[in-house]
Amino acid sequence: MGKESNLKMELQGGSDDFKKAVSRRTKKPLSLSTASQPQPKEGVNVGAEKGNTKGTVAGSSSDAYEVVYVKDNVSVHPTQYASERISGRLRLIKQGSSLFMTWIPYNRARFTEENTEFATPSNGSMRTMAGKSLAGKPFDKADRNLYTIRAVSLSEMRSIRRHTPPLGWQYVIIVLTNGLAFPPLYFHNGGVREFLATLKEHALLVRSADDANVYLINDTQDPLQKSLTSLELTEVVPVSASATQKRKEESRPLIPDSEESGSGEAHPNQIGQTESPPRKPRDATHDFSINVLEKFSMVTKFARDTTAHLMGSLENLGAEQSHRTRYQKENFDLSMDTLPSNVEESLQGAPSTSIACDDSLQKHGGEGKFSDGLASTNVGTFELVDGAQVYSSSTSSLSFGVIDNSMPLPNDSPALVWGRARPPPLGSEEWATFLDADGRVVDFKALKKRIFYGGIEPSLRREVWKFLLEHYQFDSTYKERKGLTTQKKEAYITLKAQWQTISDDQAKRFAKFRERKSRVEKDVVRTDRSLPFYADDENPNITLLRDILITYSFYNFDLGYCQGMSDLLSPILYVMKDEAESFWCFAALMERLAPNFHRDQNGMHSQLQALLKLVQLLDTPLHDYFKQADCLNYFFCFRWILIQFKREFDYDNVMRLWEVLWTHHLSEHFHMYMCVAILKRYRRKIMDEQMEFDTLLKFINELSGHIDLESTLRDAEALCLFAGERGAACIPAGTPPAIATFENKGIELYQDSESTSY
Amino acid sequence: MATTGTNHLQAKLVLLGDMGAGKSSLVLRFVKGQFFEYQESTIGAAFLTQTVAVNDATVKFEIWDTAGQERYHSLAPMYYRGAAAAIIVYDISNLDSFARAKKWVQELLQQGNANLVMALAGNKADLSSKRKVETEEGKAYADENQLFFMETSAKTAQNVNELFYEIARKLPKAQPAQQPAGMVLTDRPTGDRFAIKSTCCA
């Protein structure tokens, strides 16, 4: 081979240095010195890293983040024993207009003893649950990582209490809006003042009137906030809270009862009441979806932009007014148009309160209320009071709302559409916290979740993608992976030799081989050529694409090569920069996506059929529109699904999207919800312009490059959560990318028959 | 179907042919006057329109550009059903693409739409040094099957507009809408309907 060296091309740049810096540290001999000892080397690395992470890291501006504060030797003291202190690095990271805090323990001390469990402390004090560590036994790595703070958004913080003991280090206790608190963070090198000052630059931080050592975050003390508070929050919060409570008890989705629906009696036009599936009161999933619904109704405060298209048309808003008025009496409705205009102005730019009354939501309660103009879903308030407990006892994944007084400032809107900004991508340092001493991923679900929300730093993709694609097992060790790599490299060489040793003479008598080779060659020269990585003639990377694809067509001879595969391989090669590894990652991806390429198109049909059902569930009017326009085959979404939106986004965003999809977090069919989210975004245009199949296909094809990924991901997430079990029921088992159990399917599934007649 | 209005014709046109023959490039040259050396492969299908004036009438082409690989052949009928015209494209530097073109011709002939205007286009005429299919071969096959034939180059624009104009001229001038309700595709695995409506612009 020897071609890998050619691959070291444009892409690495500074990130290589970063990787080296990180790996240097992780390889450093483990030290048992007390964590409180300053580590001069760390300082050097901080500088290097800080320089590196400044500015745009992930390529596109929406991914830019900036480290605005770094402090080393900030420690957690799980017990009174100095030897058990866990030292780490505290950082404030600015991502878009949002601020995140991370605290990541240094990965250096060896801890081997038994597990010790700690509860997340409440009320700012540490509580030892199992108490096993009280004897002074050190923690193992997993326990250290228990304390890792992974990208908590400032909007999730309620307050910070500063402690300045007469002797010893200053520490702070951070209380979250959900009432939980992080363990005290001891600043062994000082820096509390600077920490608070930095926070102050990015958020509303005010001293509590009751306690000068307590700083309230995002408290509503400024005049604007105060006026909003008097209008909305003070009245709404308690009501909303009690309503939430009540509905939980009733174990059904949260829709504020309108007055005419009386004593909790189901209103036919409201969600999930009369026609929801039989209730299973103790079904956790059901409870979960209830909470999702609650959140969904609450998100609206912040989500006019998103919600307007996501939750359906605005057509019914006028007709909705009478209902709204009632809701308003109950303080459920704080829609924009009910606010005094000066307030409305002050909210300009802020995600606002109006929600589109969603005709698709009605679908769950009343059939096809699209045209009769009966409003149903409430214009919810914004409060998410107990929801945080549902989601975020660990790290809250999706808080649709922000707790009472922590309303975001107006200019926070873009990043806070759902009340929680996207955390920065997973970096090397944090990645290390997911691994145990032997390199096993300790909690792969947490890892997947982390990636689902934040993505992966480009330099780290090469390693982590192998896990997401299941080329690496999550529970494999460093050693096993090294072995696997060697072994797979040899296997690849063997496979490649199978076709490379075909002589010209043999090829003359081997039409199938000639065909495949020629097809691959036709496509690789027109795959992502505008990208520097694949630009220029005689580019060795194009040769690599070719070799990998031909080898794959021998590895999976039944399937062969199909158009679209080169699109799927291109980003993998770009990330892996190694021929054999790219091959195996591509093969792993094809384990999931092969049915997309089956000759009978059943893999595609099952997905398009599932999409039909999802749209029917989540946007009935749009479904009805497609039906009357004879577009129910959904072929206009063919390209989206066949190659995982590869042609719809720019390269950086494709990679970002793929790693989200590959986590299978929330749903292994998350791509279907992406489809729904995009369609919903353009539903009005589609219906207003009366698009038919041809114009629709043209419109959809031309959306390429014009879809905003982050907001679509958020929409898809919301739709997925909202659809819950009903959504899952739309997608039959075995629908790609579900990995089908191997069965020996008839060859007619695969064969191209160019050389025979059809 | 080509449908008529007052001196105005609307015609569905489909491009078929082997992958890499240049279907998308021909369309892009005709519709937008552009050419990309590395035009990406078509996934699924694309739809574009372009209107041309022929004598005293205008013809609006509704052009369906399809994916070339035979693997996606089962999708083709829904694109060529109800078409008023078809361009079957091959690459003059590639013998296999010519063989494939012949198969498309046979398939379309078997569809039994007598009014279908069919053109055979030997594309990449600029690659004369790599020519594998002689002009005479293409011409002979076209004559045999009563197709209209042209060698084209999307790259140099040679004969591209001519190809489409010639098709426009050959379209029946006052063809009544034969299947006004739209064509229903019934041979797909899921059996759901797919219709292409011939919208009348009159």
Side-chain angles (χ1 to χ4, degrees), chain A residues 392-538:
Chain A
S392 65
S393 46
S394 52
T395 48
S396 93
S397 55
L398 176 72
S399 306
F400 278 137
V402 181
I403 219 73
D404 56 8
N405 292 345
S406 58
M407 234 187 85
L409 295 172
N411 60 4
D412 280 348
S413 55
L416 282 167
V417 171
W418 296 108
R420 179 187 159 96
R422 174 161 87 76
L426 175 72
S428 301
E429 206 173 319
E430 189 185 342
W431 163 241
T433 69
F434 281 101
L435 303 172
D436 71 9
D438 295 322
R440 295 182 196 88
V441 174
V442 182
D443 184 349
F444 70 88
K445 280 186 179 157
L447 174 65
K448 287 174 162 187
K449 185 172 162 186
R450 174 69 180 85
I451 293 166
F452 181 86
Y453 288 105
I456 307 170
E457 269 184 17
S459 60
L460 192 62
R461 285 189 170 130
R462 182 175 173 176
E463 182 169 6
V464 182
W465 275 21
K466 293 176 206 165
F467 289 91
L468 293 180
L469 288 168
E470 291 171 301
H471 174 53
Y472 284 167
Q473 301 300 310
F474 284 107
D475 59 358
S476 62
T477 61
Y478 291 124
K479 202 179 158 191
E480 286 163 352
R481 294 200 286 272
K482 208 176 160 193
L484 182 79
T485 304
T486 313
Q487 175 206 333
K488 287 292 187 181
K489 189 154 196 143
E490 284 165 15
Y492 176 74
I493 292 168
T494 308
L495 283 168
K496 191 177 173 185
Q498 288 178 4
W499 62 270
Q500 286 206 315
T501 53
I502 293 174
S503 66
D504 289 351
D505 244 14
Q506 189 187 356
K508 269 182 208 159
R509 299 165 175 82
F510 197 171
K512 199 108 219 160
F513 169 62
R514 290 199 314 271
E515 262 170 31
R516 283 188 180 183
K517 186 158 164 287
S518 127
R519 265 192 245 126
V520 169
E521 284 169 349
K522 278 177 186 169
D523 275 357
V524 295
V525 296
R526 48 182 177 155
T527 302
D528 295 320
R529 294 301 297 278
S530 57
L531 205 74
F533 189 73
Y534 293 112
D536 305 326
D537 295 331
E538 314 293 322

Side-chain angles (χ1 to χ4, degrees), chain A residues 288-309:
Chain A
F288 178 73
S289 69
I290 289 166
N291 279 289
V292 169
L293 277 173
E294 291 177 357
K295 291 184 177 81
F296 217 78
S297 69
M298 292 167 179
V299 68
T300 60
K301 174 88 179 136
F302 303 108
R304 170 175 242 171
D305 294 343
T306 302
T307 318
H309 65 260

Side-chain angles (χ1 to χ4, degrees), chain A residues 245-285:
Chain A
Q245 190 51 44
K246 179 176 137 218
R247 286 183 177 84
K248 267 190 94 124
E249 285 158 10
E250 289 170 7
S251 186
R252 60 183 174 82
L254 170 71
I255 296 301
D257 295 331
S258 61
E259 280 169 2
E260 75 246 342
S261 70
S263 52
E265 200 176 284
H267 187 289
N269 289 328
Q270 291 176 356
I271 298 178
Q273 294 179 354
T274 52
E275 299 199 4
S276 59
R279 275 174 219 134
K280 293 172 276 177
R282 297 267 64 87
D283 182 336
T285 323

Side-chain angles (χ1 to χ4, degrees), chain A residues 537 563 599 605 633 754, chain B residues 38 69-70 72 188 194:
Chain A
D537 295 331
Q563 285 199 305
R599 186 174 168 74
H605 275 297
N633 61 39
E754 276 95 327
Chain B
Y38 302 118
Q69 187 174 6
E70 205 281 331
Y72 301 114
R188 292 186 33 254
F194 178 86

Side-chain angles (χ1 to χ4, degrees), chain B residues 70-200:
Chain B
E70 205 281 331
R71 184 70 53 106
Y72 301 114
H73 175 251
S74 65
L75 307 178
M78 73 172 162
Y79 297 115
Y80 65 64
R81 286 282 163 82
I87 302 177
I88 291 127
V89 186
Y90 68 91
D91 167 4
I92 64 151
S93 69
N94 185 315
L95 264 178
D96 290 339
S97 75
F98 187 51
R100 186 76 202 290
K102 290 177 180 173
K103 283 179 189 155
W104 277 119
V105 171
Q106 295 313 312
E107 179 168 341
L108 288 183
L109 288 174
Q110 282 160 22
Q111 293 308 305
N113 177 2
N115 292 318
L116 182 71
V117 176
M118 263 201 275
L120 183 67
N123 193 36
K124 307 196 188 181
D126 54 292
L127 297 179
S128 54
S129 62
K130 296 180 181 168
R131 179 186 283 279
K132 296 275 165 48
V133 184
E134 294 306 322
T135 310
E136 293 69 31
E137 268 184 275
K139 181 85 173 76
Y141 183 77
D143 288 346
E144 233 171 83
N145 294 279
Q146 295 168 320
L147 316 174
F148 158 60
F149 175 74
M150 241 180 214
E151 282 197 347
T152 57
S153 167
K155 189 173 183 172
T156 66
Q158 174 197 334
N159 275 347
V160 176
N161 286 345
E162 288 79 352
L163 177 69
F164 284 89
Y165 277 90
E166 191 55 36
I167 290 169
R169 272 191 286 272
K170 285 180 186 297
L171 288 170
K173 284 294 173 287
Q175 182 180 330
Q178 294 187 330
Q179 288 168 281
M183 274 46 68
V184 178
L185 181 74
T186 53
D187 58 352
R188 292 186 33 254
T190 50
D192 50 331
R193 281 156 44 95
F194 178 86
I196 294 164
K197 287 189 178 133
S198 56
T199 45
C200 184

